[in-house]
Amino acid sequence: MPDKRAEILGIAVALADERGLAAVSMRAVAERVGVTPMALYPYIGSKAALLDGMLGHLLGRLIPAPSGTGRGAGGPVSDGETAAEGAEEPWSDRLGAIARRARAVVIAHPWAASLVFARPAVTPDSVRAVDALYAALLDAGVPAAEVPRLERMLSTVVIGFAASEAGGRFGTGDDPRGERGLGPDGALPGHARLAAELDRPVDWDAEFEADLADLALLVETIARRAGPGGA
Amino acid sequence: MPDKRAEILGIAVALADERGLAAVSMRAVAERVGVTPMALYPYIGSKAALLDGMLGHLLGRLIPAPSGTGRGAGGPVSDGETAAEGAEEPWSDRLGAIARRARAVVIAHPWAASLVFARPAVTPDSVRAVDALYAALLDAGVPAAEVPRLERMLSTVVIGFAASEAGGRFGTGDDPRGERGLGPDGALPGHARLAAELDRPVDWDAEFEADLADLALLVETIARRAGPGGA
DNA sequence: ACCTGAACACCGTTCAAGT
DNA sequence: ACCTGAACACCGTTCAAGT
């Protein structure tokens, strides 16, 4: 009731969660809202804008709102009192927390994965997430000239990992050899040398954490080669 | 003429290149083929299978066919004679070559970016690409237990980078501050500390190369910590 | 100001026929 | 064996009315 647009977006998100993105049509959303399809247009604009709005609706929950207009009250997932200037946690923890939250959102709403790569990250909410990553990288000692690129690389890994999980690119783990009769083993020498590893099932939580650890290692290496001062 | 299915897929790819993925309907493809929509079904199966087939059609050009059934003739982009066991190039060059080829495919066919994350990489062609990456990482000295994870991370970065470029996630480079009146600068401390960097336009070719260099550095670090023996 | 109803130009897919 | 035509149950969006 406070905002009709937000109500519509919430209903569309719920519909996508229940029946997939393909089930989200203007007509289906309108029916759930209890209105004619055309009544959505003043609030939503178009089907494409509906999808953008759904993504924004999720992103609003990724990074808690800043203490800008209201007071610092109603804190987020944080575990203590809200420090005035932030930066009480080490940079690698802040970076990891954002990454884990992003992955959790995509796991909870798999349909979002296919939208994330298609729109620039310029909504207020995603800009806030990018800002937190900038600050973490600067605090790690990464030179300013490399921070935007490194932020894009980190967020690409995190979003790409979650999208691959949710979308199925990482597959079911079954052995690809023999799927189409690929002839003698010599055709896939790399797979042959890894036969033992490829039979093991994959723990995706552990793999995500290992990726985060490697990325933190890379960030440290880049910071160190710039000189311990932080430049 | 040699294969009706391949002819249909080629026409669908050309249609997507010219008018976008949204213009690829069974009806539109059928019209270009010169046939009724229903005549596609025996060759294609369904709309979803058409999209899968289009992606496979592109992937067939990513990695040249192996010397399996035919002879080693009709070599690919390689610059010399085809060695019997491969591995004449250093691993980092082989890795970079695959990455650049993948990015080139996505830039040439931007619509493919949105499909790549949604299907497991188990077609013969993509398995061949994965195999080449496995071999490169093993030759770099990465322990076998870490190779599959690292391959997934590398391909996620490469595909995610290309998808972000093609889909618009990396945006146009305009300053996000002020896009929605985000209040005083204090709300975005990270951006404030990077003001000088964020005004510069981005050279995406250079950024891709810098990412590849950083990833190679990470691969070396992982190989080194496992012991110079390799495994 | 806010919503409805009818209409237009599309979809993917099924099914029964045609040659 | 290969293709067609009509039909079904959908789409997003425009436009002219209604209250």
Side-chain angles (χ1 to χ4, degrees), chain A residues 132-181:
Chain A
L133 292 173
Y134 283 166
L137 291 173
L138 286 167
D139 292 346
V142 172
E146 306 224 47
V147 164
R149 172 178 73 83
L150 219 52
E151 185 280 324
R152 283 187 285 267
M153 188 168 102
L154 297 186
S155 54
T156 297
V157 173
V158 170
I159 296 171
F161 187 97
S164 298
E165 263 188 297
R169 184 175 77 93
F170 283 163
T172 52
D174 47 301
D175 195 318
R177 281 168 308 164
E179 283 245 334
R180 281 243 214 160

Side-chain angles (χ1 to χ4, degrees), chain A residues 40-132:
Chain A
L40 301 178
Y41 279 75
Y43 303 100
I44 297 299
S46 71
K47 174 73 181 296
L50 172 68
L51 298 177
D52 280 356
M54 290 167 65
L55 195 56
H57 201 73
L58 291 191
L59 289 176
R61 278 131 193 82
L62 216 192
I63 288 288
S67 47
T69 49
R71 217 75 53 72
V77 212
S78 159
D79 39 52
E81 40 264 284
T82 67
E85 285 293 297
E88 72 287 356
E89 272 184 304
W91 65 265
S92 57
D93 288 357
R94 283 181 281 146
L95 204 146
I98 296 174
R100 288 183 199 100
R101 218 145 34 185
R103 176 167 173 252
V105 168
V106 174
I107 288 177
H109 311 279
W111 50 267
S114 56
L115 301 178
V116 152
F117 282 107
R119 304 297 300 155
V122 292
T123 67
D125 298 307
S126 56
V127 169
R128 213 149 52 221
V130 169
D131 196 78

Side-chain angles (χ1 to χ4, degrees), chain B residues 64-76:
Chain B
S67 46
T69 50
R71 217 75 56 69

Side-chain angles (χ1 to χ4, degrees), chain B residues 35-177:
Chain B
V35 96
T36 259
M38 284 317 300
L40 300 179
Y41 279 76
Y43 304 99
I44 296 300
S46 70
K47 173 72 182 293
L50 172 67
L51 297 177
D52 279 356
M54 290 167 65
L55 194 56
H57 201 74
L58 290 191
L59 288 175
R61 279 134 192 81
L62 217 193
I63 288 287
S67 46
T69 50
R71 217 75 56 69
V77 213
S78 160
D79 38 53
E81 41 265 280
T82 68
E85 285 290 299
E88 72 288 356
E89 273 185 304
W91 63 267
S92 57
D93 288 357
R94 283 181 282 147
L95 204 145
I98 295 173
R100 288 184 199 100
R101 218 146 33 186
R103 177 166 172 253
V105 168
V106 174
I107 287 178
H109 311 280
W111 50 267
S114 56
L115 302 177
V116 152
F117 283 107
R119 304 299 298 155
V122 292
T123 66
D125 298 306
S126 56
V127 168
R128 214 150 51 220
V130 169
D131 196 77
L133 291 174
Y134 283 167
L137 291 172
L138 286 167
D139 292 346
V142 172
E146 306 223 48
V147 164
R149 173 178 72 81
L150 219 52
E151 184 280 323
R152 284 187 284 266
M153 188 167 102
L154 297 187
S155 53
T156 296
V157 174
V158 170
I159 295 170
F161 187 97
S164 299
E165 262 187 298
R169 183 176 76 93
F170 284 162
T172 50
D174 48 302
D175 195 320
R177 282 169 307 164

Side-chain angles (χ1 to χ4, degrees), chain A residues 25-27 38 41 46-47:
Chain A
S25 66
M26 299 297 279
R27 290 167 136 104
M38 284 316 301
Y41 279 75
S46 71
K47 174 73 181 296

